[in-house]
């Protein structure tokens, strides 16, 4: 049973990445996290949402869903899209791999950053159906 949970949906507009970061930070406040923990969570959520916005729908419009759950002292975030999916998750999780090499600002470190800042990371994807990223962090 969750102590608290939330779910929001928003268009895959790049401005909504900042919105998702703010929501994640506000959601974890009841666990009294450190400033470092808040920064790490915001960064991990930002990477997942940015991936959904940039890679999930390519040039099409779509919806990104962000769920948050708190159970005891663990926070879990689930970021999902119903977009193009990831053909090779293992390859996509390799450091420096990017599915958008034409975009100079893409470093290919999104999954690595999520793994570094969170305690667990699970990536599920099906081509043509979308991607679901589930990550969690213990805060005490």
């Amino acid at each position: 049973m969750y102590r608290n949970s939330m779910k929001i949906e928003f268009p895959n507009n790049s401005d909504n990445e900042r919105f998702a970061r703010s929501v994640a930070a506000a959601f974890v406040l009841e666990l009294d996290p450190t400033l470092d923990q808040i920064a790490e969570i915001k960064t991990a959520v930002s990477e997942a949402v940015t991936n959904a916005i940039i890679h999930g729908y390519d040039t099409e419009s779509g919806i990104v869903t962000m769920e948050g759950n708190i159970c005891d002292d663990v926070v879990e975030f689930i970021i999902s899209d119903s977009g193009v999916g990831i053909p090779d998750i293992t390859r996509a999780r390799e450091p420096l791999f990017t599915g958008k090499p034409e975009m100079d600002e893409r470093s290919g470190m999104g999954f690595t950053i999520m793994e570094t800042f969170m305690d667990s990371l699970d990536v599920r994807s099906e081509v043509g159906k979308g991607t679901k990223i589930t990550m969690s962090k213990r805060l005490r």
Side-chain angles (χ1 to χ4, degrees), residues 36-90:
D36 286 342
Q37 288 171 326
I38 292 173
E40 290 170 354
I41 289 167
K42 286 172 60 176
T43 300
V45 165
S46 175
E47 290 295 332
V49 169
T50 297
N51 279 354
I53 290 170
I54 291 175
H55 300 287
Y57 296 100
D58 202 18
T59 59
E60 302 296 317
S61 295
I63 297 295
V64 176
T65 301
M66 180 171 129
E67 298 174 64
N69 300 301
I70 293 174
C71 185
D72 297 323
D73 60 351
V74 175
V75 64
E76 171 189 73
F77 287 100
I78 303 165
I79 312 298
S80 58
D81 64 68
S82 300
V84 300
I86 302 171
D88 185 346
I89 294 172
T90 301

Side-chain angles (χ1 to χ4, degrees), residues 10-20 53:
F10 46 87
N12 64 324
N13 177 322
S14 62
D15 289 335
N16 285 328
E17 178 270 332
R18 284 191 308 270
F19 171 67
I53 290 170

